Amino acid sequence: MVVAASAAILGPAVPLTATASTPVSAKPLEWVKCEGSGLDPRQECATVDVPMDYSDPGGKKIGIAVSRIPSEKPAVRRGALLLIAGGPGGGSLDEISGKGQQLPQEVRNAYDLIGFDPRGVGRSVPVSCGLDRGDLVRSEYFPWPAPDGSVTENMATARRTADACERNGGELMRHISTADNARDIDRVRAALGERKLSAWGLSYGSYVGAVYAQLFPHRTDRFVLDSNLDGNGDRVNGQVGRALWAGFEVGVEDVFPEFAKWASKPGNKYRLADTAAEVRPLFLRLAVRLDREPIPWPDADTAELNGNVLRQAMVDAFYDPDGFPALAQLILAARKGTVPPAPEPPPEPLMQNALAVTHATTCNDSDWPESSAQYQKEVDQSRAKYPLTAGMPRNATTCAAWPYPPKQEPVRITDRGPSTILLVQNERDPATPLSGARNLRAALGKRAVMVTVDSTGHDAYLGNGNACGDRTVTRYLATGERPARDTYCGRASGRE
């Protein structure tokens, strides 16, 4: 998955279309064995130098870490397939040894699998804001308002984290954005010696892929955009970063009925209620009770189970239906006044890096309001309409106090360019809801076709989708055959 003091563009304007400055060739990459454990022995790594600031292409360079697993059948090799990870803050450098190996054989035959860590991530000159440990907790990083709906503490957190990023983040923090990621990808393409590039962009990576296809339309081969963001941010006045957060309002509402059906099913050992209709009020009452009377949770990074920790656990569980049992166990324990064993938090260096890149990307991409009154108004409206998410999706993030104005306007996704895009989207996705994917689909016009999958969770292709959706995407990547029109994959045509 915003803030800026000004809408002004600082410095020389950066072109938003295919680029005269993008090299069409580059010296061969120096591939070496990748560092790390558990990697496919065929995976090799290299570094691509790119400008830190694309408005000064001859200036300081940074290195983008790139990985490759060659085609498993060179005789039928088509080109390179780039995996674009979600986030912002995620990387795919080692994903070609993980998720990439789940790709069907015909896809692995057709392509060299390419991974990379975006600028600021992992092995590509990592950044950190040096945040306080308390600001690394998900229920704090996600901007949940106070129990009474106040945003005062969120504004204070925004100032504290923005100050830390300005103090500790370094020069690169000003030059991390979605458009910069797309331009870096084109430098990677050129360094690989590829005239065109295929890609599989997932979650935030779907937005990066859409921006790349807008900036470099004739460099796209077969593009799969999976679990799609509302690429133009229309739901929040064109502010893409805010649209990323706003998606949780609708997404959580889309998924909750599936959780309620599961949680009321006879024979379920974690059953919460006799009927699905009872689960929602049960959850809402429990969250309010925990707002008033938190339960100590000494082993957890949150120190207590309060209403917002429960709400955050709900959001996290909805990414994958396999998370439903853990959420139900938490609810059952909390109703008794107890807590289950605390989940293991991610390593602190990983969280410091990921959140620094998240803050930089969403804040540098577009202007965010600075007024606490505006956030308070929107949070109040959201709490009334979408009580499950309690106003969080409309609240202030670090971007409300971000010290750097955007260097350019967000890239506008349009229908101009070749028809090379396939969108795949679950009907019930907590983070990137179907409504946002439909907005992106409409913006792309005849450039794209969308397959909608009757499934629940985030990540559709080879994740939480179904066999019909998987077959459709695989066929496109392997053969170029794409549905003639938007299509639907029901449960009867795939796994439930």
Side-chain angles (χ1 to χ4, degrees):
M1 340 181 210
V2 93
V3 167
S6 167
I9 308 290
L10 300 184
V14 180
L16 292 184
T17 55
T19 68
S21 61
T22 301
V24 295
S25 62
K27 67 179 182 179
L29 292 174
E30 298 179 5
W31 295 102
V32 299
K33 182 178 174 60
C34 295
E35 299 178 3
S37 59
L39 302 179
D40 189 299
R42 298 167 298 167
Q43 181 177 319
E44 49 192 2
C45 288
T47 300
V48 177
D49 290 334
V50 303
M52 176 184 285
D53 182 353
Y54 276 95
S55 68
D56 181 20
K60 186 175 181 179
K61 300 295 191 293
I62 58 173
I64 300 297
V66 180
S67 60
R68 175 179 71 175
I69 293 179
S71 159
E72 295 181 24
K73 194 173 183 180
V76 300
R77 178 189 180 276
R78 177 179 179 83
L81 175 66
L82 181 72
L83 276 61
I84 311 176
S92 63
L93 192 72
D94 293 338
E95 279 296 291
I96 60 172
S97 287
K99 199 173 185 75
Q101 294 309 299
Q102 299 174 24
L103 287 162
Q105 187 66 54
E106 58 264 45
V107 177
R108 303 200 312 272
N109 289 344
Y111 300 97
D112 296 344
L113 301 184
I114 307 298
F116 78 111
D117 279 350
R119 55 174 56 208
V121 174
R123 278 164 273 185
S124 293
V125 195
V127 294
S128 172
C129 294
L131 300 176
D132 295 342
R133 288 182 63 91
D135 290 328
L136 301 177
V137 176
R138 282 181 68 79
S139 57
E140 293 297 325
Y141 160 61
F142 276 68
W144 297 98
D148 64 357
S150 169
V151 305
T152 300
E153 184 58 35
N154 303 108
M155 294 297 292
T157 299
R159 289 189 291 271
R160 182 173 65 251
T161 54
D163 287 348
C165 291
E166 182 179 25
R167 185 171 60 251
N168 302 319
E171 183 183 0
L172 181 56
M173 291 291 287
R174 303 180 185 216
H175 305 289
I176 296 175
S177 71
T178 302
D180 287 327
N181 288 337
R183 295 186 180 97
D184 290 346
I185 287 172
D186 204 54
R187 297 288 176 130
V188 169
R189 174 204 57 77
L192 292 170
E194 299 291 334
R195 187 173 62 87
K196 292 185 177 183
L197 193 66
S198 293
W200 174 19
L202 180 61
S203 190
Y204 167 71
S206 72
Y207 178 50
V208 178
V211 169
Y212 181 88
Q214 186 66 35
L215 297 182
F216 306 97
H218 298 290
R219 303 293 193 193
T220 63
D221 190 10
R222 297 170 183 169
F223 263 52
V224 172
L225 306 184
D226 181 346
S227 304
N228 297 274
L229 271 68
D230 183 349
N232 286 331
D234 293 320
R235 294 180 60 233
V236 276
N237 302 316
Q239 296 163 329
V240 175
R242 296 202 72 199
L244 186 154
W245 286 104
F248 286 105
E249 286 178 336
V250 175
V252 167
E253 292 286 348
D254 287 346
V255 175
F256 198 93
E258 290 295 302
F259 172 69
K261 284 191 289 186
W262 174 88
S264 58
K265 189 177 295 184
N268 182 350
K269 66 178 180 178
Y270 303 118
R271 194 179 189 193
L272 299 178
D274 292 334
T275 66
E278 296 174 276
V279 177
R280 181 186 180 95
L282 179 156
F283 178 87
L284 291 172
R285 286 194 302 269
L286 178 60
V288 170
R289 193 187 90 190
L290 292 172
D291 283 336
R292 296 192 305 263
E293 302 170 3
I295 303 171
W297 205 356
D299 297 332
D301 56 4
T302 59
E304 66 179 22
L305 174 58
N306 57 37
N308 284 340
V309 172
L310 178 68
R311 296 179 184 102
Q312 184 63 54
M314 171 194 64
V315 171
D316 292 343
F318 284 3
Y319 274 67
D320 185 335
D322 287 347
F324 287 179
L327 175 60
Q329 290 177 70
L330 181 62
I331 292 170
L332 289 169
R335 293 180 74 191
K336 298 175 182 177
T338 62
V339 290
E344 186 71 24
E348 182 173 340
L350 179 66
M351 287 301 298
Q352 290 282 8
N353 181 213
L355 288 184
V357 175
T358 298
H359 293 321
T361 306
T362 50
C363 299
N364 289 334
D365 267 5
S366 59
D367 263 328
W368 277 55
E370 294 179 309
S371 165
S372 61
Q374 180 170 342
Y375 288 112
Q376 190 65 69
K377 177 182 177 181
E378 293 187 27
V379 164
D380 291 345
Q381 293 171 342
S382 182
R383 286 168 67 85
K385 189 173 182 180
Y386 303 101
L388 289 171
T389 45
M392 177 274 291
R394 298 289 177 163
N395 206 353
T397 72
T398 298
C399 302
W402 195 245
Y404 313 118
K407 295 173 68 65
Q408 64 181 43
E409 294 292 328
V411 175
R412 186 79 181 170
I413 306 302
T414 74
D415 60 359
R416 296 190 296 274
S419 187
T420 57
I421 299 171
L422 176 66
L423 280 64
V424 58
Q425 179 71 37
N426 284 346
E427 276 195 285
R428 296 168 296 278
D429 184 322
T432 55
L434 179 59
S435 55
R438 284 174 171 159
N439 287 342
L440 177 62
R441 169 67 188 89
L444 288 167
K446 293 181 179 179
R447 299 189 65 188
V449 171
M450 186 162 84
V451 54
T452 302
V453 182
D454 182 6
S455 195
T456 301
H458 195 53
D459 300 3
Y461 182 48
L462 306 181
N464 295 310
N466 67 23
C468 166
D470 290 352
R471 285 194 302 270
T472 305
V473 174
T474 295
R475 187 182 305 115
Y476 179 54
L477 289 175
T479 72
E481 181 184 343
R482 194 180 60 169
R485 59 186 64 84
D486 291 352
T487 189
Y488 182 77
C489 281
R491 295 193 191 197
S493 57
R495 69 176 185 271
E496 294 190 22

